[in-house]
Amino acid sequence: MTTTGTTIRTGATRGAAAPAPCWSCHAPVAAADLFCAGCRAVQPPGGADHFTRLGFEPGFALDAADLDRRYFALQRQLHPDRFVTKSARERAISQSQASSLNEAYETLKNPLERAVYLLKRMGIEIDPGDGVTIKDPALLMEAMEMREALSEAADTAAVAKVAANAEAERKKALEAVAAAFATLNHDATRTTVLRLKYLTKMDDEIRARRAALRTVP
Amino acid sequence: MTLLQLHEPGETPLPHEGEQTAAIGIDLGTTNTVVAIADQGKPEVIRGEKGGALIPSVVAYAPGGRVEVGETARRRLLDAPETVVSSIKRLMGRGARDLKELSGSLPYDLAPDDGGMVRLTVSGKRLSPVEISADILRAAKARAEASLGRAVERAVITVPAYFDDAARTATRDAARLAGLDVLRLVNEPTAAALAYGLDKGVEGLYAVYDLGGGTFDISLLRLEKGVFQVLATGGDAALGGDDFDHAIAERFLEQRRAAGKLAAPASADAKMILMTARLAKECLTEKSDGTWSVELGGAVSRHALDVAALEKLIQPFVARTIAISAGVFDDAAVDPKSIQGVVLVGGSTRVPAVRRAVEQFFGMKPLSNINPDEVVALGAALQAEALTRGSDNLLLDVTPLSLGIETMGGIVEKVIERNTPIPVAKAQEFTTYQDGQAAMAIHVVQGERETVDQCRSLARFELRGIPPMVAGAARVRVTFTVDADGLLTVAAREGSTGVEQRVEVKPSYGLAEDEMARMLRESIEHGRADMERRLLIEARVEAKRSLLALDAALKKDRLLLDAAEYAAIEAEIGRVNAAMSGEDRDAINGAVQALERAVTPFAQRRMDKAFAEALSGRSLDSVAERMEAGAKKKAS
Ligand SMILES: [Zn+2]
């Protein structure tokens, strides 16, 4: 079996703006409404994009505390724990609502995923799958040097030094991504996001190295 | 009911219990099980007749078919260890090769297995861990019903955060067999955080270090205005105080061997040695040394052990919990020393060496002001109340382990990463690798490793009927759904031709559906007995309520009765009391009805008297007040 590596979102798609009939009482329900005004039944999640679902305008700049606040407020209404005594249908709808909300939250919370998602909306695909193909020679050089430093780091202190360097670079890359999105320069955005992606992957490798050092007595 | 009219209006000697069945919280532990119930946000442990909170998770199966659970079962370890099963939680959703051996022999007698969940042979019966756990849950349910005097059918049951899908499914199946509707499976550390958070109104980052008898969990949570958000979790579903016992037992056996006494112990002997080892461990949490004797096959050996030696024996296990904790904090990019507090859960956190290690890792004194044996059950009870009566609190939990699919070359393609918030639904597309390939094998695995053989296999199924196409043209969409209980469902669909064929599996490393059906049929027999017992309890409670009401009325208005009438009522009271001490529900109800008939004239006279007093103006105010209060009640 082979994989195409594409992750596909799930969830039924309701019309973007048109009201749809409530599944329970058939009264019209606006696309943005979570509950039927008539019978109070929870409505299916629909196909809103991640930003809309959490009440944001699409954009890279995002206040993390604000995101949390909105996410908590919505989960308070939609989480399956609120529907334990309701009908099986309502429990199932609550589960898909909460799942959609979790997916939106996870995507927006993580700056890299948020950036990749925004690019995808703009029709720009960052190479899917694991292997980050680096065509930028400068980035290639940087990547090789950092990998080498990590493989040579024999103890926790040495790994910490590599990690501090990678973290500083990641912060800079984040700022560059934010700036590129602000200027609407597609090429610059793509390049900076790729760099952020690489540095995030580097982070995983550093973590794996630390874990390996921990298990050796 | 006539008797209720006997007390003053607006006055009831006993609170009236609702028609709804109660919802309880159960901490189904490796070593002990604890039941609790919450009322208006105040949780309380339900204690046994002798006042103890813990029900030892020990079941004894007498050859005659009698099942004992708890303390009485544990005592059987002394005279009939071969009939006793303990630490069954470690076998939930496990295969035979997952088991830990003790000097070549197990503290269980394994039945021949068919590759699925392990089976035990106890007193000639072939039992699955699910059935044995169901017996423990039945005992927990019975304790709650006896104490509350009403039916208990719904429960929140806690599981280790690090329990995999098979173990979670097995736990839910056990509850079903015990006649419990599982409102939610809640992770033990999350339940503990709930008990702490609600009690103390704390905010910020907290860690829960949970070392029980058989499992270790470490969770990092953010608490904020009633939200309990799990950020990361990790652990080991086969690491706990039992391992300490095993290490001590191994040492005792080693010493016996050195002294030339008995080599490989039989399984019943293994249980005895483990019990002695546990005793030694518990003793050494307070004392600095001691000597224990082991008698096997008539040969007695004596073993000295001090705290230093014990700590050396358990050091590798303690170190492992700290290494796992470090990994979880690294994953979450949080410095363990920066958090607000660390909560200790589980009996094994009583071991001083464990406390010291935790204190050192977090750089702070751990919190243990709620009893670590009870805190999980208390949290479960709070959640049971929240789920059935509503709450402003919100528990947001995560998947402890990554879920994926086997791809070419035995490589795992992860579909859902660990620490993803639940519920979650994610889909991934796969395609055929041969021209005209009509079927696709889908192998679902759980774990963090890259290759299939190092992960846990959850389910295999085949999607058939893929229309003939060239290799790579088919579009098979596999959807993983994890619900709020942490249970996985997998569905596959071929979509490129518009032909949709759905296959859905509930991974069940454990009980097959027909097996579950058989057990449920059998449990209906249990169920009938349970129902009878419950009705008996309810009849007794009703009878007691009537007697208390009558007693209050007699204290007040004894003079409304002449001597003969009073004697008649006393005789009926005697009959009710006699019936209550028996086991016959119909006799109790019959006696209560007879009593009611006997007191009807008395009740009537009391009503007349109350009206007469009201009309004479003596207590008109109170009558008016009560009428007003009654009217208000109706309006609201
Ligand atoms: Zn409606």
Side-chain angles (χ1 to χ4, degrees), chain A:
Chain A
M1 193 189 325
T2 53
T3 168
T4 61
T6 26
T7 306
I8 295 157
R9 279 195 316 286
T10 54
T13 308
R14 205 135 54 85
C22 165
W23 60 268
S24 172
C25 75
H26 307 290
V29 180
D33 286 359
L34 301 171
F35 294 89
C36 169
C39 73
R40 301 305 303 153
V42 65
Q43 302 298 307
D49 75 86
H50 296 337
F51 290 100
T52 312
R53 194 173 296 287
L54 282 148
F56 287 108
E57 286 295 318
F60 186 73
L62 194 84
D63 176 16
D66 193 17
L67 174 65
D68 282 346
R69 248 192 318 277
R70 288 165 195 240
Y71 168 67
F72 293 156
L74 285 166
Q75 281 293 28
R76 270 186 203 281
Q77 300 178 63
L78 298 170
H79 193 276
D81 282 358
R82 294 284 184 267
F83 295 84
V84 165
T85 55
K86 297 281 168 64
S87 70
R89 177 84 184 263
E90 278 178 278
R91 290 204 306 270
I93 294 173
S94 134
Q95 182 176 320
S96 54
Q97 274 281 13
S99 300
S100 301
L101 189 56
N102 276 335
E103 193 192 353
Y105 174 67
E106 287 285 287
T107 308
L108 299 193
K109 192 177 68 173
N110 180 320
L112 173 63
E113 285 189 37
R114 186 163 77 232
V116 171
Y117 180 69
L118 269 173
L119 283 178
K120 204 167 165 193
R121 280 174 51 103
M122 291 153 67
I124 302 167
E125 288 277 350
I126 291 283
D127 192 18
D130 222 18
V132 183
T133 43
I134 302 172
K135 288 172 192 116
D136 176 353
L139 181 55
L140 192 64
M141 200 60 170
E142 189 189 354
M144 278 172 58
E145 278 172 11
M146 238 185 232
R147 280 236 164 78
E148 210 173 275
L150 184 62
S151 68
E152 280 167 8
D155 55 25
T156 356
V159 175
K161 221 174 120 191
V162 180
N165 179 32
E167 182 52 28
E169 289 300 318
R170 213 179 65 87
K171 277 216 176 89
K172 276 191 257 170
L174 257 179
E175 282 161 20
V177 169
F181 270 114
T183 58
L184 299 171
N185 181 333
H186 285 194
D187 274 351
T189 312
R190 195 179 175 285
T191 314
T192 51
V193 171
L194 251 179
R195 180 148 192 278
L196 179 63
K197 183 163 182 160
Y198 158 70
L199 286 165
T200 306
K201 199 170 148 42
M202 193 68 208
D203 234 30
D204 294 342
E205 282 176 30
I206 291 168
R207 212 172 286 137
R209 185 97 181 87
R210 266 203 295 261
L213 283 175
R214 264 197 304 275
T215 52
V216 177

